[in-house]
């Protein structure tokens, strides 16, 4: 076997040795590290959409929360707790997803089972974030929101009948839940944005019975409408008949009064009888009565005809 060759130059060269830094260099490095740590502890950036609650080792939670941007703290004394102040939501539904709970089971006014899927949208009150941190901490969703939503939804559903809840009273149920939850949220330093009743379910047998009842009520309403129309028509006919009767009575009364006046006039003026007879006998003949107290009728044209003939040449 051949032995490996060793370079004589490399064998004779001494190996390099690491010298420890001098006191001045070590002090410089230590100063830089301390300055970096000091800066990291004294400067805090609050991200967009968040609010910071400062806890001081000397005085506890500070009342004034930190808003978005850069803030300077007391190093190693102040500690910042971030809270998400953007719109958040909690859903309680039968299709359980990550972070959600099951649907709310409640009873209607008549004791029927109703299952509700609810979504609640809310925010952290920025101005009262310090109080929220002190009284509830970060777990406010589990300790306040979920149990209160379940309780108020059950209370609201219990005030209405099942048929009304799934038909005409849905918005009233939602408004009742919103009003009660808004009080609870405000008391716990939260701002309620909206309550959404996503779905309301009742047993199929009850739903079918309610549909049949509603169909029967609609039919009754149709028949009632028809009856009202018939009644209105009959009333209109009665009014028209009464109007016609009154008109006939008025005409008869007018004719009777006219005859009475005519008879009175004839009694007071007998000559009118003769004049009326002459007009009936010959409407085209001009007549004159002579004398005025007599009973003779003369034709005016007959009397004037000879004069007209004599006047001709």
């Amino acid at each position: 076997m051949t032995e490996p060759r060793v370079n004589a130059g490399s064998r004779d060269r001494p190996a390099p040795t690491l010298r420890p830094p001098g006191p001045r260099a070590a002090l410089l490095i230590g100063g830089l590290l301390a300055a970096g740590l000091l800066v990291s502890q004294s400067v805090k950036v609050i991200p967009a959409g968040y609010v910071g609650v400062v806890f001081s080792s000397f005085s506890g939670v500070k009342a004034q929360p930190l808003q978005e941007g850069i803030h300077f703290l007391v190093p190693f004394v102040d500690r910042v707790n971030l809270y998400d102040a953007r719109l958040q939501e909690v859903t309680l539904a039968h299709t359980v997803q990550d972070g959600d709970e099951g649907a709310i089971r409640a009873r209607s006014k008549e004791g029927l089972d109703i299952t509700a899927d609810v979504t609640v949208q809310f925010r952290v009150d920025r101005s009262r974030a310090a109080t929220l941190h002190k009284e509830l901490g970060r777990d406010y969703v589990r300790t306040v929101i979920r149990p209160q939503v379940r309780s108020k939804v059950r209370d609201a559903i219990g005030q209405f009948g099942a048929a009304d809840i799934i038909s005409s009273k849905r918005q009233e149920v939602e408004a009742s839940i919103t009003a009660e939850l808004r009080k609870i949220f405000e008391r716990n330093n939260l701002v309620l944005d909206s309550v959404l009743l996503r779905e309301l379910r009742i047993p199929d047998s009850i739903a079918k019975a309610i549909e049949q009842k509603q169909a029967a009520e609609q039919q009754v309403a149709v028949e009632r409408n028809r009856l009202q129309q018939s009644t209105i028509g009959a009333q209109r006919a009665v009014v028209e008949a009464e109007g016609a009767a009154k008109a006939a009575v008025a005409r008869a009364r007018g004719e009777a009064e006219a005859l009475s006046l005519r008879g009175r006039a004839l009694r007071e003026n007998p000559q009118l009888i003769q004049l009326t007879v002459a007009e009936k006998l010959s409407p085209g003949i001009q007549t004159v009565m002579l004398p005025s107290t007599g009973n003779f009728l003369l034709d005016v044209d007959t009397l004037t005809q000879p004069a007209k003939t004599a006047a001709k040449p």
Side-chain angles (χ1 to χ4, degrees), residues 30 51 126 128 136 167 179 191 203 209 225 230 234 237 271 278 290:
V51 62
R126 286 178 170 270
R128 301 165 65 183
L136 298 178
S167 58
V191 179
N225 186 29
S230 300
Q271 295 85 352
L290 293 174

Side-chain angles (χ1 to χ4, degrees), residues 163 208-218:
K208 187 175 181 180
I210 291 175
E211 291 177 358
Q212 293 175 351
K213 178 183 177 182
Q214 291 176 344
E217 291 175 351
Q218 291 176 357

Side-chain angles (χ1 to χ4, degrees), residues 242-258:
E242 291 178 351
K246 290 180 180 179
V249 171
R251 285 195 300 271
R253 186 180 292 113
E255 292 174 357
E257 291 179 356

Side-chain angles (χ1 to χ4, degrees), residues 33-273:
L33 292 176
L37 181 61
L38 187 64
V39 170
S40 65
Q41 291 293 321
S42 61
V43 177
K44 182 66 176 179
V45 178
I46 306 300
Y50 284 80
V51 62
V53 178
V54 180
F55 175 80
S56 174
S57 301
F58 296 149
S59 60
V61 177
K62 294 184 177 181
Q64 188 64 32
L66 304 179
Q67 303 301 327
E68 303 168 356
I70 299 177
H71 299 272
F72 295 95
L73 309 173
V74 178
F76 306 105
V77 175
D78 293 342
R79 186 172 67 253
V80 177
N81 298 275
L82 291 179
Y83 281 85
D84 190 349
R86 296 170 296 184
L87 182 65
Q88 305 178 60
E89 69 175 32
V90 173
T91 298
L92 293 87
H94 67 286
T95 55
V96 180
Q97 299 177 358
D98 294 340
D100 295 339
E101 293 185 3
I104 302 172
R105 297 188 61 183
R107 289 187 178 275
S108 64
K109 188 175 182 179
E110 61 269 50
L112 298 177
D113 289 333
I114 295 180
T115 304
D117 292 353
V118 181
T119 294
V120 177
Q121 296 178 330
F122 66 96
R123 306 172 189 268
V124 171
D125 190 342
R126 286 178 170 270
S127 61
R128 301 165 65 183
T131 306
L132 173 67
H133 178 72
K134 188 187 302 183
E135 295 179 355
L136 298 178
R138 298 180 179 277
D139 204 15
Y140 54 86
V141 173
R142 183 184 63 84
T143 58
V144 174
I145 294 180
R146 294 186 188 277
Q148 289 295 340
V149 170
R150 288 185 177 277
S151 175
K152 299 310 176 184
V153 169
R154 290 191 181 103
D155 292 344
I157 289 178
Q159 298 175 5
F160 298 89
D164 295 333
I165 290 175
I166 64 174
S167 58
S168 60
K169 302 294 184 179
R170 182 188 182 99
Q171 292 183 347
E172 293 186 22
V173 175
E174 195 171 272
S176 176
I177 298 171
T178 302
E180 294 300 321
L181 282 179
R182 181 164 282 116
K183 300 176 184 177
I184 299 297
F185 277 49
E186 183 178 357
R187 202 159 53 234
N188 289 277
N189 311 298
L190 299 168
V191 179
L192 179 64
D193 189 85
S194 62
V195 175
L196 308 175
L197 284 178
R198 299 170 55 183
E199 187 176 0
L200 294 171
R201 296 181 302 280
I202 60 177
D204 294 338
S205 58
I206 303 300
K208 187 175 181 180
I210 291 175
E211 291 177 358
Q212 293 175 351
K213 178 183 177 182
Q214 291 176 344
E217 291 175 351
Q218 291 176 357
Q219 184 64 29
V220 170
V222 171
E223 295 299 331
R224 187 182 294 112
N225 186 29
R226 291 177 179 174
L227 179 61
Q228 290 177 352
Q229 291 179 353
S230 300
T231 303
I232 293 173
Q235 292 175 351
R236 185 185 297 110
V238 171
V239 171
E240 292 175 354
E242 291 178 351
K246 290 180 180 179
V249 171
R251 285 195 300 271
R253 186 180 292 113
E255 292 174 357
E257 291 179 356
L259 290 175
S260 177
L261 292 175
R262 187 178 182 84
R264 186 183 304 145
L266 291 176
R267 287 195 301 272
E268 294 177 356
N269 300 285
Q271 295 85 352
L272 292 176
I273 299 176

